[in-house]
């Protein structure tokens, strides 16, 4: 199945999961999976949240981020992958001066 993110319109989500600023999201969703392309503006963050019944994989397309996963800080750059397994909690901060572009897959266990 081909998913054309370039043909989707972005949805603005302010203060996503209790974070700061703005997240712009393009999402394909089925019952047990979400596939997303997102853009977190400079100075913005995704608030800390727990993955109780799913896991998330985030690939950094461009920009710089800091992830906090189960209390451990990770610095992420273009090409980095962040994995948050079921039962873990994490947050993402745009640590750069430009938009942070990410590709993410959330899979329910």
């Amino acid at each position: 199945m081909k998913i054309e993110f370039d043909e989707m319109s972005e949805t603005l989500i302010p203060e996503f999961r209790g974070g700061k600023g703005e997240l712009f999201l393009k999402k394909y969703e089925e019952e047990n999976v979400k596939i997303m392309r997102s853009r977190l503006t400079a100075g913005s963050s995704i608030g800390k949240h727990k993955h109780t019944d799913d896991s998330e994989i985030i690939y950094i397309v461009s920009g710089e981020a800091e992830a906090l996963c189960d209390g451990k800080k990770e610095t992420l750059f273009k090409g980095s992958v962040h994995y948050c397994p079921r039962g873990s909690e994490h947050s993402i901060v745009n640590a750069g001066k430009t938009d942070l572009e990410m590709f993410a897959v959330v899979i329910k266990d």
Side-chain angles (χ1 to χ4, degrees):
M1 168 190 282
K2 183 177 180 180
I3 300 168
E4 292 285 354
F5 285 110
D6 289 343
E7 295 177 7
M8 294 180 189
S9 57
E10 290 183 316
T11 300
L12 167 61
I13 305 173
E15 301 173 348
F16 186 63
R17 297 211 180 247
K20 297 189 306 186
E22 299 177 324
L23 176 80
F24 290 88
L25 180 67
K26 296 179 180 185
K27 176 172 65 171
Y28 171 82
E29 188 169 6
E30 290 184 354
E31 183 178 345
N32 293 318
V33 68
K34 295 177 195 171
I35 303 171
M36 299 166 285
R37 175 85 187 238
S38 61
R39 183 168 55 88
L40 192 61
T41 60
S44 297
S45 64
I46 297 171
K48 184 167 65 171
H49 59 284
K50 189 167 189 169
H51 285 264
T52 56
D53 64 348
D54 58 25
S55 300
E56 183 171 21
I57 300 164
I58 300 172
Y59 174 81
I60 305 301
V61 176
S62 67
E64 180 181 343
E66 288 183 357
L68 187 63
C69 187
D70 293 333
K72 294 181 182 177
K73 188 176 177 181
E74 304 169 344
T75 301
L76 307 170
F77 299 96
K78 177 182 177 181
S80 297
V81 174
H82 168 72
Y83 174 58
C84 184
R86 182 178 64 147
S88 293
E89 69 179 4
H90 68 153
S91 63
I92 304 280
V93 175
N94 181 341
K97 296 181 192 238
T98 61
D99 288 352
L100 172 65
E101 294 186 42
M102 301 172 283
F103 175 82
V105 178
V106 176
I107 301 171
K108 280 196 174 189
D109 296 334

